[in-house]
Amino acid sequence: MKVIEMERIVKKYYDALEEGKVLGRKCTACGHIEYPPYLACNECGNLDTEWVDLTNVRAHVKQIIPPLQVFPETEWKNQNGGYIPIAVSIDGADAYDTSLVHVDADRYDELHDNLENVIVKPYIVQGEDTKVVAWVLEDYEDSPEELARQAQLAKNADTASDDKDSSQTAGVGAMSEEVSKIAATVIDCAAAGYEVDASSITLATDIREDLSNQSMKMIVMISEIEERLGVTIDIPDAGNLNTLADFTNKVLELKGMSERVAADGAMSAGTSSSSASSTAASSPADDELTKTVIECAAAGYEVDASTITPQTDIREDLSNQSMKMIVMISEIEERLGVTIDIPDAGNLNTIADFVQKVKELQNK
């Protein structure tokens, strides 16, 4: 049996961003590029990939979404000179969803009508606590004011508190010493990722509801967990974990341990970690509302409506590309006269969940 040593690509990727580099992974067998980086090749299935520098790459925009139709005013938009949601295609890689920044929303029509000629380049954005990658038009150049602002943000990030005192074990409760240490470490990692005092959070803390819905903070937390506990948590799996007990149980599972913890710190043997319970709708498949939502999903995910049922999970059964979900939501909003907040949609999984959400909004 071949043994593969797993590399902590999340940490290496963000460490590279701090150095001003954008890294992807390239398959040594077929040459396919994985960006954002994955350890395995999604084109041919090869497990041997290597780092490739994409800092100076140029890419085409494959899809562009009207920002004022789908997205509300956001802090991201205000901090980055405006933005438009796009899907970017790097040569040799699959398209992925991202943001085009430093562009006014009123340029949507111009860019959309000339999409085949729109060339973009990666642009590293300094957030409050970490750097992320967005994209800008090929001819964009930072103004002196923008360079000064980014420098100040970087300075603020460097001077931010990095206290990871593992003595804070609030909410760990009575459990074995090894499990207790793992739970305490997960709490510390959450405190570091979400920039809160570890004593203020427990295993019952829901990272999205109680801390922040910013996915970048969760990614920082996961990177800390991976580094300190020697595991690799897939981002899609993390999307189904809510409480710190869930993350602790995921670590225990990855380490091959049978123990599990509850949110109150109680222990059990062999039970799986709890994830968000689905708010499944009970409407029959022939219900008019369900039919409409199914038709909107079919349009957004470009599949035959007859292949979709109320039990269809949009991410697992259709696609994990958030841009497709956004198109589906736009269709629902237009046809059913409701407004679904994107953060709320992130907690909906099945078609039945979306039907239930529409019912709730219509009954307000």
Side-chain angles (χ1 to χ4, degrees), residues 54-256:
L54 302 175
T55 308
N56 298 311
V57 76
R58 296 297 183 265
H60 289 84
V61 176
K62 304 297 290 186
Q63 188 176 19
I64 185 167
I65 297 295
L68 300 182
Q69 177 180 338
V70 180
F71 294 88
E73 293 290 325
T74 64
E75 185 177 1
W76 173 260
K77 173 182 176 180
N78 295 334
Q79 288 181 346
N80 293 285
Y83 86 102
I84 297 177
I86 59 172
V88 161
S89 177
I90 299 170
D91 285 345
D94 296 326
Y96 86 103
D97 304 333
T98 182
S99 298
L100 179 65
V101 297
H102 291 293
V103 58
D104 292 331
D106 57 14
R107 294 191 62 186
Y108 166 78
D109 289 336
E110 169 202 341
L111 296 173
H112 180 271
D113 294 343
N114 193 39
L115 197 59
E116 65 275 11
N117 296 318
V118 177
I119 306 298
V120 293
K121 60 185 178 182
Y123 181 76
I124 299 176
V125 176
Q126 175 63 59
E128 292 184 358
D129 51 10
T130 191
K131 288 182 171 67
V132 297
V133 174
W135 294 74
V136 291
L137 296 173
E138 184 180 27
D139 59 359
Y140 173 80
E141 295 294 339
D142 278 323
S143 65
E145 293 77 14
E146 177 62 21
L147 290 171
R149 189 183 73 84
Q150 292 286 333
Q152 185 60 49
L153 284 172
K155 182 179 179 181
N156 293 343
D158 288 340
T159 57
S161 173
D162 191 29
D163 183 9
K164 303 174 184 177
D165 183 4
S166 60
S167 65
Q168 301 291 349
T169 59
V172 170
M175 55 184 72
S176 71
E177 182 178 356
E178 185 176 5
V179 173
S180 178
K181 288 181 179 179
I182 290 173
T185 301
V186 169
I187 289 175
D188 286 340
C189 292
Y194 288 88
E195 298 180 307
V196 297
D197 189 333
S199 64
S200 68
I201 55 180
T202 70
L203 290 177
T205 298
D206 187 302
I207 61 169
R208 297 172 184 84
E209 293 185 3
D210 302 326
L211 298 178
S212 170
N213 202 36
Q214 294 183 36
S215 58
M216 191 55 61
K217 292 183 181 293
M218 180 186 72
I219 290 173
V220 174
M221 178 186 85
I222 292 172
S223 178
E224 291 284 333
I225 291 174
E226 291 181 335
E227 181 178 1
R228 296 181 62 180
L229 292 172
V231 297
T232 299
I233 300 177
D234 292 335
I235 298 300
D237 288 346
N240 295 319
L241 307 177
N242 296 312
T243 67
L244 295 184
D246 293 343
F247 279 90
T248 300
N249 287 328
K250 187 64 180 178
V251 172
L252 294 173
E253 175 189 329
L254 292 170
K255 284 182 170 291

Side-chain angles (χ1 to χ4, degrees), residues 19-62:
E19 298 173 1
K21 296 180 180 179
V22 179
L23 299 182
R25 299 284 292 187
K26 186 174 183 179
C27 178
T28 58
C30 71
H32 185 75
I33 293 175
E34 295 294 336
Y35 186 83
Y38 294 92
L39 282 173
C41 176
N42 284 307
E43 182 70 18
C44 70
N46 180 39
L47 297 178
D48 294 321
T49 61
E50 59 188 9
W51 290 106
V52 58
D53 193 337
L54 302 175
T55 308
N56 298 311
V57 76
R58 296 297 183 265
H60 289 84
V61 176
K62 304 297 290 186

Side-chain angles (χ1 to χ4, degrees), residues 36 38 63-65 70-71 83 85-88 95-99 215 235-236 296-297 299-301 314-316 318-331 340-343 345-348 354:
Y38 294 92
Q63 188 176 19
I64 185 167
I65 297 295
V70 180
F71 294 88
Y83 86 102
I86 59 172
V88 161
Y96 86 103
D97 304 333
T98 182
S99 298
S215 58
I235 298 300
C296 293
Y301 287 87
I314 62 169
R315 297 172 183 82
E316 293 187 3
L318 298 178
S319 171
N320 201 36
Q321 292 186 33
S322 57
M323 192 66 70
K324 293 183 182 294
M325 181 188 72
I326 290 169
V327 174
M328 167 186 157
I329 292 172
S330 180
E331 290 282 334
I340 301 177
D341 292 336
I342 298 299
N347 296 319
L348 306 177
F354 279 89

Side-chain angles (χ1 to χ4, degrees), residues 266-278:
M267 285 186 64
S268 61
T271 59
S272 60
S273 62
S274 60
S275 59
S277 60
S278 173

